[in-house]
Amino acid sequence: MAAMTLNSVNFGAAKAVKFEYVGLKAHQNITSARPHSVKFVPRALTVNAGEAQGGGPVKKLGKSDEECEAAVVAGIVPEAPPIPPKPAAPAGTPLAAPLPLSRRPRRNRRSPVLRAAFQETSISPANLVYPLFIHEGEEDTPIGAMPGCYRLGWRHGLVEEVAKARDVGVNSIVLFPKVPDALKTSTGDEAYNDNGLVPRTIRLLKDKYPDLIIYTDVALDPYSSDGHDGIVREDGVILNDETVHQLCKQAVSQARAGADVVSPSDMMDGRVGAIRDALDAEGFEHVSIMSYTAKYASSFYGPFREALDSNPRFGDKKTYQMNPANYREALIETHEDKAEGADILLVKPGLPYLDIIRLLRDNSSLPIAAYQVSGEYSMIKAGGALKMIDEERVMMESLMCLRRAGADIILTYFALQAARCMCGEKR
Ligand code: PBG
């Protein structure tokens, strides 16, 4: 049989595996992407031309519908390909009576077209938020523990990285600053310096890309000489209400610079309501709050802390971040954040906490965000580099699983790479 292709694309047997990702392709309407630079892989259909028809389309004989019907009624049936033979099983296959199954779920999985038709979850670049590390320097500094990630120069590398992301439909970013040690204090006051690294960067980006959605991190750790998310009392206790006071000033400073979504990641009690009040009092009713609702005291944050040099100087974060063993406690945080006016609820880390994502999804109508954190990213990168796993496939699968668990948006260091993959760009 001769193979004839549509759209001059032939996904023959060799490329059949491509179909596995049909559902991962970007939706056709990535409005935020620059259309000229988004390349979609065309739908592939292979048509086999029957030999009976000589390889070309069947010639019309100019007969009317009535004449065609009359011919068939008279027993003159036009030729069609014969009933296909039953494919043979390999020699040695045991003869087994068919199992009496009324339901065979494999029926709906037997072809790429059926699998794509019944796929329940989809993902597009619009679901991704790209976390970016920035610093005062002019060069981009590679982050050893996170291959492919850099501390980006806020005026140079960052602007280029944002342009690349927008090119493939990722139009949302979240900023993480590397603050010079000399500016760190025990009360983290640099966090609300209107001319600090983050507000300056927001103004620059908004000036260049007004429709870019900028998320910010609200927490004191990058600014704290103790490396904690809050103010540390001399006995080691992390002060709650005093920290919230600082966080409100930080959020307002970020909003003033043009942030679209402020994201408290500190896990202090009552900070969402306090930040809402502070924003509203300053005329920033339109600025959203993405609350890190269920943020666990996780060892998966290791590479991130190296990236920002933000390891706690002593102790751990267990008196404010949640115990990884706890599930019900996430509901308490969810109810509080909802009541305090959060616009988006976030779960962090991502893949090891899929049950928590599902818990929040089923207990709130608010959008849910999942943070695929640095340790998750680095493990996939390392596994790929060691050729133990297929990096790209594991990346796409992990993101799809986060969506399946109930995440609307995903913060991921893979945002650019994954979006390129979804747009059919192989690099
Ligand atoms: C701190 C903050 C952390 C991350 C985001 N915001 C680290 C921490 O809590 O120590 C981790 C992100 C990652 O690991 O990718 N406010």
Side-chain angles (χ1 to χ4, degrees):
M1 285 200 175
M4 192 176 78
T5 58
L6 290 185
N7 302 334
S8 29
V9 175
N10 183 7
F11 276 14
K15 287 189 176 172
V17 78
K18 264 272 171 200
F19 279 114
E20 297 303 330
Y21 280 117
V22 161
L24 300 179
K25 297 282 180 261
H27 293 148
Q28 296 287 335
N29 56 346
I30 304 177
T31 44
S32 47
R34 296 178 199 168
H36 66 269
S37 55
V38 176
K39 296 177 197 72
F40 293 101
V41 175
R43 290 273 154 168
L45 286 174
T46 303
V47 177
N48 288 317
E51 271 150 43
Q53 298 162 10
V58 178
K59 285 244 159 45
K60 286 184 184 168
L61 299 172
K63 287 191 193 164
S64 69
D65 292 356
E66 289 78 12
E67 286 168 327
C68 291
E69 287 194 351
V72 172
V73 171
I76 309 160
V77 181
E79 237 183 82
I83 292 173
K86 287 229 168 99
T93 302
L95 266 182
L99 295 171
L101 303 179
S102 60
R103 199 156 295 290
R104 287 180 182 263
R106 287 184 58 190
R107 279 196 282 263
N108 286 346
R109 301 181 206 132
R110 72 187 187 280
S111 91
V113 177
L114 289 172
R115 288 196 292 276
F118 303 133
Q119 179 159 322
E120 299 173 33
T121 307
S122 64
I123 186 167
S124 95
N127 302 122
L128 306 179
V129 179
Y130 196 10
L132 295 167
F133 300 108
I134 51 174
H135 70 162
E136 298 284 3
E138 298 191 340
E139 303 300 328
D140 302 335
T141 313
I143 298 165
M146 300 177 70
C149 290
Y150 299 81
R151 290 174 185 165
L152 301 164
W154 69 284
R155 274 193 294 188
H156 305 93
L158 171 70
V159 178
E160 287 163 31
E161 195 69 8
V162 169
K164 287 182 203 162
R166 285 162 59 87
D167 259 355
V168 286
V170 176
N171 215 354
S172 301
I173 62 156
V174 54
L175 294 172
F176 290 105
K178 157 82 171 66
V179 177
D181 279 343
L183 294 178
K184 297 184 183 181
T185 59
S186 52
T187 44
D189 301 282
E190 177 64 12
Y192 54 86
N193 174 359
D194 280 337
N195 216 20
L197 179 54
V198 168
R200 233 184 300 135
T201 302
I202 296 172
R203 298 199 309 263
L204 176 78
L205 287 176
K206 279 287 177 179
D207 184 57
K208 258 189 130 46
Y209 310 115
D211 62 335
L212 178 72
I213 294 297
I214 303 180
Y215 293 68
T216 55
D217 193 61
V218 180
L220 296 185
D221 53 323
Y223 310 92
S224 153
S225 45
D226 298 312
H228 274 287
D229 291 21
I231 299 171
V232 186
R233 206 167 59 186
E234 66 176 0
D235 59 357
V237 167
I238 313 294
L239 297 174
N240 192 91
D241 302 12
E242 295 78 356
T243 297
V244 170
H245 179 89
Q246 298 291 72
L247 298 178
C248 288
K249 291 165 91 170
Q250 181 181 19
V252 166
S253 169
Q254 293 167 345
R256 201 177 284 130
D260 298 280
V261 185
V262 298
S263 328
S265 70
D266 54 288
M267 291 301 281
M268 297 301 125
D269 294 332
R271 89 279 209 214
V272 172
I275 290 173
R276 184 72 271 160
D277 288 348
L279 289 173
D280 292 353
E282 296 285 333
F284 298 114
E285 301 89 352
H286 56 283
V287 173
S288 312
I289 300 178
M290 176 169 76
S291 175
Y292 284 59
T293 297
K295 178 174 179 178
Y296 287 85
S298 171
S299 302
F300 285 93
Y301 306 149
F304 175 97
R305 293 181 188 169
E306 182 203 307
L308 295 189
D309 194 11
S310 65
N311 257 304
R313 202 168 48 76
F314 63 88
D316 49 41
K317 299 192 174 185
K318 290 179 184 170
T319 66
Y320 45 108
Q321 297 179 353
M322 287 171 58
N323 181 346
N326 288 1
Y327 177 82
R328 278 177 291 138
E329 196 180 354
L331 271 187
I332 299 175
E333 292 284 358
T334 301
H335 295 320
E336 283 308 311
D337 284 357
K338 267 201 296 196
E340 290 177 32
D343 299 284
I344 307 165
L345 307 178
L346 183 143
V347 175
K348 178 182 176 181
L351 216 55
Y353 294 79
L354 292 182
D355 55 334
I356 309 298
I357 296 172
R358 172 51 56 187
L359 179 70
L360 266 62
R361 167 77 296 146
D362 290 343
N363 283 280
S364 173
S365 315
L366 289 171
I368 305 294
Y371 198 142
Q372 182 178 55
V373 300
S374 56
E376 300 175 68
Y377 169 86
S378 296
M379 288 195 315
I380 296 174
K381 280 281 173 192
L386 291 171
K387 305 235 178 297
M388 289 176 170
I389 54 170
D390 181 325
E391 174 183 322
E392 194 173 290
R393 283 165 177 262
V394 172
M395 164 185 79
M396 293 310 300
E397 184 178 328
S398 63
L399 295 173
M400 185 64 87
C401 292
L402 291 164
R403 292 269 300 149
R404 190 201 61 229
D408 297 287
I409 57 169
I410 303 170
L411 285 71
T412 174
Y413 304 100
F414 280 124
L416 175 59
Q417 192 182 344
R420 282 177 172 168
C421 185
M422 291 180 223
C423 292
E425 290 181 31
K426 256 295 214 186
R427 306 188 178 205

